[in-house]
Amino acid sequence: MIKLCLGTVQFGMKYGINNQSGQPSEEECFEMLDIALENGIKTIDTARAYGTAETIVGNYLEYRNCKHKVEIISKLCPNVIEANEKDVYSVIRKELEGSLKRLHISQLNGYLLHTPEYIYNEKIIQTLFRLKNEKLIQNIGVSIYDIKEGDEAIKKNLDYVQLPYSILDQRGMESGFIERAKKSGLTVFTRSAFLQGLFLMNLEKVPNYLEHAKPYLEFFESLTKQYNKSKIELLIHYVKDLKEIDYLVFGVDNKNQLIEDMAVFNSDMIREENLFKEIKKIYNQVDNSIILPSLWSNGKKVD
């Protein structure tokens, strides 16, 4: 059964095209983490690239004395390995130790490559397996953007894969990758269900560089009215109702968003087959310039 995984990029930096409240204070982050744990969320996703997120999560774990109650996934700092680096192990070991120190823990449940292209570097992969054998990591994986990187993760026998998946970005299912990943034993995490909040924006506030996304957003709004569903309901259940996905990674700007998202996630599945057929037909092949924030004019590639 799919579970929620709380993403923390908003804890460490102002993030998201529709973020109107900015970066929350540490006190507000603690409150959101309290609410998440009290409601059964036991997996937290963070990264070195997420500003101060690791430090805030670590302070929370230390202050609340709850390290035993949660599983923490973090990621190797992007582009940290030089092309001619000879001692890859030392570089990654130092980065990992830095994350463990900030998080006040001795072992990560998961450690992912935040630079997907590293999946092709044998020295990096061997280092991850070595660190896993040294008990500093329980599971190793990669955060991907393209399906080919996910297939490489299958070949390399990694444990975790994290990929974008949403109404606008159906590549994971349409390509058969998610099914292949599950058959190979990979644990599948999907992210970007809200696409940085783009789905939730008022159309008049969509920036000019995403003007070509408006027809998709307009049709999405029409579906919510036609089927009497909220935007959040459609976005979350489109992911949740797929049995092949293990974790839905989601981020929030404030506790009200968190409470709403959890309530929707725990609500009954949407059973209107025609609704999902329409979604699959209209959003089957959306241009990468829309679904990949790294290609937006001010996108931040920190997913």
Side-chain angles (χ1 to χ4, degrees):
M1 179 182 294
I2 188 171
K3 300 177 182 177
L4 285 174
C5 171
L6 182 62
T8 60
V9 60
Q10 288 98 326
F11 289 9
M13 59 196 297
K14 187 179 185 300
Y15 178 81
I17 192 172
N18 196 39
N19 185 334
Q20 300 173 16
S21 54
Q23 181 182 345
S25 66
E26 184 171 83
E27 182 180 357
E28 289 171 323
C29 292
F30 278 27
E31 186 176 11
M32 285 187 274
L33 287 164
D34 281 338
I35 293 170
L37 266 63
E38 288 166 3
N39 285 273
I41 295 177
K42 297 180 179 179
T43 307
I44 298 172
D45 176 89
T46 191
R48 178 69 181 99
Y50 295 170
T52 57
E54 281 188 334
T55 298
I56 289 172
V57 172
N59 290 346
Y60 175 83
L61 297 177
E62 187 79 0
Y63 186 73
R64 291 287 194 262
N65 191 27
C66 62
K67 300 173 190 177
H68 59 290
K69 295 182 179 180
V70 295
E71 296 180 341
I72 306 295
I73 297 168
S74 192
K75 307 177 190 75
L76 178 67
C77 186
N79 306 313
V80 73
I81 307 294
E82 298 290 341
N84 59 349
E85 179 60 57
K86 295 182 179 180
D87 192 357
V88 170
Y89 172 81
S90 293
V91 174
I92 297 180
R93 171 85 187 224
K94 181 179 179 181
E95 286 292 325
L96 174 59
E97 289 177 342
S99 290
L100 292 172
K101 183 177 181 180
R102 285 184 290 275
L103 289 162
H104 298 288
I105 56 177
S106 59
Q107 183 187 59
L108 280 169
N109 173 265
Y111 198 49
L112 311 183
L113 299 175
H114 215 163
T115 305
E117 295 78 14
Y118 283 174
I119 191 71
Y120 302 106
N121 187 312
E122 289 299 328
K123 288 184 178 180
I124 293 175
I125 299 301
Q126 290 171 11
T127 294
L128 290 184
F129 276 103
R130 180 177 172 183
L131 293 168
K132 181 179 176 181
N133 289 333
E134 292 172 359
K135 308 297 183 184
L136 294 175
I137 313 165
Q138 290 181 350
N139 299 281
I140 57 177
V142 60
S143 177
I144 69 170
Y145 293 90
D146 293 323
I147 300 304
K148 62 182 180 179
E149 298 153 354
D151 283 321
E152 191 68 22
I154 293 175
K155 293 178 184 178
K156 295 290 199 300
N157 294 314
L158 302 190
D159 305 302
Y160 286 175
V161 64
Q162 187 184 119
L163 71 153
Y165 186 75
S166 69
I167 286 174
L168 277 176
D169 187 354
Q170 303 176 26
R171 294 172 299 157
M173 289 300 294
E174 292 300 315
S175 66
F177 167 71
I178 291 177
E179 185 178 357
R180 294 194 296 274
K182 287 301 298 175
K183 286 182 178 178
S184 74
L186 273 170
T187 298
V188 176
F189 295 74
T190 65
R191 64 175 188 271
S192 301
F194 307 143
L195 200 55
Q196 286 198 20
L198 176 62
F199 279 108
L200 307 176
M201 294 186 74
N202 293 326
L203 289 176
E204 61 271 17
K205 292 186 177 180
V206 173
N208 291 334
Y209 57 82
L210 284 172
E211 185 73 24
H212 57 313
K214 282 188 177 181
Y216 294 108
L217 302 178
E218 288 171 349
F219 183 72
F220 178 67
E221 287 198 3
S222 73
L223 287 177
T224 64
K225 295 173 183 176
Q226 180 181 348
Y227 289 91
N228 194 29
K229 303 292 181 183
S230 71
K231 291 181 178 181
I232 297 291
E233 282 180 292
L234 289 188
L235 294 170
I236 288 181
H237 278 283
Y238 189 77
V239 179
K240 181 195 173 185
D241 296 350
L242 288 176
K243 298 178 181 179
E244 296 88 349
I245 295 171
D246 296 292
Y247 288 90
L248 190 168
V249 184
F250 74 113
V252 293
D253 301 333
N254 54 66
K255 70 175 183 179
N256 292 330
Q257 286 182 3
L258 173 61
I259 292 168
E260 180 183 10
D261 291 351
M262 291 189 303
V264 169
F265 181 84
N266 291 321
S267 64
D268 292 337
M269 67 184 296
I270 296 175
R271 301 187 182 277
E272 286 90 344
E273 292 185 10
N274 288 336
L275 167 58
F276 288 128
K277 286 181 181 178
E278 285 193 72
I279 288 173
K280 289 181 182 297
K281 180 180 179 181
I282 298 298
Y283 299 108
N284 188 28
Q285 290 184 327
V286 180
D287 192 80
N288 283 353
S289 63
I290 295 174
I291 63 176
L292 298 179
S294 60
L295 300 180
W296 298 351
S297 69
N298 68 342
K300 296 179 179 180
K301 191 175 179 179
V302 296
D303 288 326

